[in-house]
Amino acid sequence: MTDLDATATHFVEAGIALLVAQPQKILERGLRIEDVVHEADSSTATFFRKFDTKADFLAAVVEHLSRTPPPTDVHDTVRNQMTNSSGSIRAAVSALVAHYYSAIIDRKGSTATLLDHVFNGPGSAALGGSYRVRDDAVLEAFEALFDPDGGTFRRPFTARSFAVTVNAVIDGFRIRSRVDASSVSADVMSDAVLAFLGAVVDTSGHHQHLDDVVKQAGVPVETRPLPRDPRAAIVTAARDEFGKRGYFMTRMDDVADIAGVPRAACKTLFPTKPSVIVAALQNRFDGLRESVADDQLLGLAELTILHNHMLRCAQLTADELEFMDALLVAVAHDTYGEPEGLISIKEKLNLPAIIAPVIARGQDTGVFRTSSTPFDLAAGITNTLLMRCFTRRQNSPQDNARFVGELLLDGLSAR
């Protein structure tokens, strides 16, 4: 932002004061220099010593609207209030909102903010910087509120989305107060913030999801009738849980509750998490085996078969992202936790084994090198492809398969 001296700043503040106090008159007549000079109790000559043109002045006014002074000592202020409130988060939040509420809904300040949005518009760097300052202040206040006990955000909330939401709530109160001040108050605002904190912040250390809060307020799922197809219901629920929580934090009891299947029945059908993964992916893996077998029956070249297979694998990963992600984590980390389930998952969902025979035949015919075993080469191709698919999820399956195929099958050298 442009730095202005005291006199220039005084003119700019006078212009903003006119915009805020007389918006309709400004629409009718424009922001006139003589009005600004009168408001600033100065002279036209002094005005033009500070601004070469009226356009320069208006640019400074618009830029000045976005100036957000950085909050001072947010952490210390909140911690002091927590001490004064004997460690009660509710009392501290209520006291802080009550103290700052009049400044939050100040009519001049809120009008200037709205003008800032109108004049700067979408994508404004100045507006973006202002919001970043406010977001940082919210996060500092959050850290101070939950020190030293600690608190984490229930997924899918993150620190950024939490701060954005709190500031959106504040903006909503500011705008509503301009229209109907009697409908909002410091008490209503503090209740809204506390309700949001209660829903989003997890102090249990259990890495909860936002759905856990909703579930607690709902009807117990055990009272629902058993689904017509319990297996399909469990697989669908597991897909959702793996996607939201990841493999480790997903619990089969939660999957059963969401699916509406009694926990004992769920354990009978699927004793372990790997058994659900197998059930979800078995048909897709069988389809990959059949496709490779068909390519071989049709007499396709080994390189062509591998390219085709990599495209099918990339498509499978995109279609079954939650279960493929869980599969990789299970195989990589649960070596000792569920040995029986892992034996099953490694046998039934063995991607490298599908193309190892193709590589072996290529080695026999001199197409592929023989310095490594067919299975090692198949594992290297598969692992590289899956890593690419998971780290480049924004790319299409075709792009990921093409990249890895060109790299591993065609090589780096230019021919």
Side-chain angles (χ1 to χ4, degrees):
M1 290 187 175
T2 305
D3 290 327
L4 304 175
D5 61 25
T7 302
T9 299
H10 187 56
F11 279 121
V12 169
E13 290 174 346
I16 292 175
L18 291 173
L19 283 172
V20 171
Q22 306 172 27
Q24 188 169 352
K25 183 181 292 186
I26 298 300
L27 282 176
E28 294 172 354
R29 303 170 53 188
L31 185 59
R32 302 192 309 174
I33 292 175
E34 52 266 38
D35 293 337
V36 173
V37 169
H38 178 74
E39 178 73 17
D41 193 22
S42 186
S43 67
T44 303
T46 303
F47 178 91
F48 281 109
R49 281 199 298 270
K50 298 301 177 179
F51 301 99
D52 293 335
T53 65
K54 182 178 179 180
D56 291 337
F57 169 70
L58 293 177
V61 168
V62 171
E63 184 181 34
H64 198 81
L65 285 170
S66 293
R67 289 182 181 269
T68 302
T72 58
D73 301 326
V74 173
H75 189 280
D76 291 343
T77 299
V78 176
R79 285 308 304 166
N80 289 338
Q81 186 58 61
M82 282 290 286
T83 300
N84 295 338
S85 304
S86 302
S88 168
I89 290 178
R90 178 177 182 83
V93 170
S94 298
L96 288 167
V97 171
H99 179 75
Y100 291 106
Y101 188 72
S102 59
I104 291 172
I105 65 168
D106 174 68
R107 189 170 185 82
K108 291 183 179 179
S110 58
T111 302
T113 299
L114 292 173
L115 290 171
D116 191 2
H117 281 269
V118 171
F119 290 136
N120 279 295
S124 164
L127 269 174
S130 174
Y131 273 116
R132 281 192 293 274
V133 169
R134 291 176 56 188
D135 290 346
D136 290 343
V138 168
L139 292 178
E140 279 192 61
F142 169 82
E143 292 174 359
L145 278 175
F146 290 93
D147 282 347
D149 297 331
T152 57
F153 300 111
R154 289 189 174 95
R155 294 175 65 187
F157 271 92
T158 63
R160 174 173 172 75
S161 60
F162 171 82
V164 167
T165 305
V166 171
N167 273 314
V169 170
I170 294 173
D171 285 345
F173 273 85
R174 298 181 76 184
I175 295 173
R176 185 62 182 267
S177 69
R178 292 173 54 83
V179 179
D180 182 13
S182 62
S183 65
V184 294
S185 65
D187 289 340
V188 174
M189 184 173 177
S190 63
D191 288 344
V193 173
L194 286 164
F196 181 63
L197 286 174
V200 172
V201 180
D202 172 24
T203 57
S204 69
H206 293 159
H207 303 281
Q208 292 180 321
H209 191 278
L210 192 62
D211 288 351
D212 294 326
V213 180
V214 178
K215 182 172 64 178
Q216 291 168 8
V219 178
V221 294
E222 294 286 355
T223 62
R224 295 181 294 178
L226 188 70
R228 185 181 300 275
D229 188 345
R231 282 184 174 271
I234 292 170
V235 170
T236 299
R239 183 195 304 277
D240 187 50
E241 287 294 280
F242 283 140
K244 290 189 297 189
R245 301 178 186 274
Y247 178 76
F248 287 118
M249 296 310 301
T250 293
R251 299 171 62 249
M252 288 304 295
D253 284 348
D254 293 335
V255 171
D257 292 345
I258 293 169
V261 177
R263 294 180 178 184
C266 178
K267 193 168 185 64
T268 299
L269 295 175
F270 297 106
T272 62
K273 286 186 281 188
S275 64
V276 182
I277 298 172
V278 170
L281 297 177
Q282 184 71 73
N283 288 339
R284 297 296 299 266
F285 272 61
D286 290 343
L288 291 177
R289 290 191 187 91
E290 292 174 0
S291 296
V292 169
D294 289 345
D295 286 350
Q296 289 177 303
L297 285 174
L298 294 173
L300 300 184
E302 287 81 5
L303 277 173
T304 301
I305 295 174
L306 291 182
H307 276 293
N308 290 346
H309 175 72
M310 293 172 71
L311 176 56
R312 296 178 190 121
C313 282
Q315 188 63 58
L316 168 62
T317 302
D319 294 343
E320 300 288 351
L321 189 61
E322 298 87 356
F323 283 117
M324 289 295 290
D325 189 21
L327 169 64
L328 295 187
V329 175
V331 172
H333 295 284
D334 270 4
T335 304
Y336 303 105
E338 296 171 313
E340 293 181 1
L342 281 174
I343 290 172
S344 171
I345 205 171
K346 289 179 178 178
E347 289 177 351
K348 296 183 178 181
L349 305 180
N350 193 336
L351 272 176
I354 296 175
I355 56 171
V358 178
I359 294 175
R361 192 177 73 179
Q363 288 178 327
D364 292 340
T365 58
V367 176
F368 301 133
R369 69 181 192 180
T370 58
S371 57
S372 299
T373 67
F375 188 84
D376 282 345
L377 292 174
I381 293 171
T382 301
N383 293 342
T384 304
L385 175 64
L386 293 178
M387 180 62 70
R388 176 74 181 183
C389 290
F390 279 112
T391 57
R392 295 292 189 277
R393 301 184 186 197
Q394 73 277 12
N395 294 355
S396 69
Q398 293 81 2
D399 288 341
N400 285 329
R402 185 184 306 112
F403 176 86
V404 177
E406 291 176 354
L407 176 64
L408 298 184
L409 304 182
D410 301 334
L412 291 175
S413 60
R415 295 189 296 273

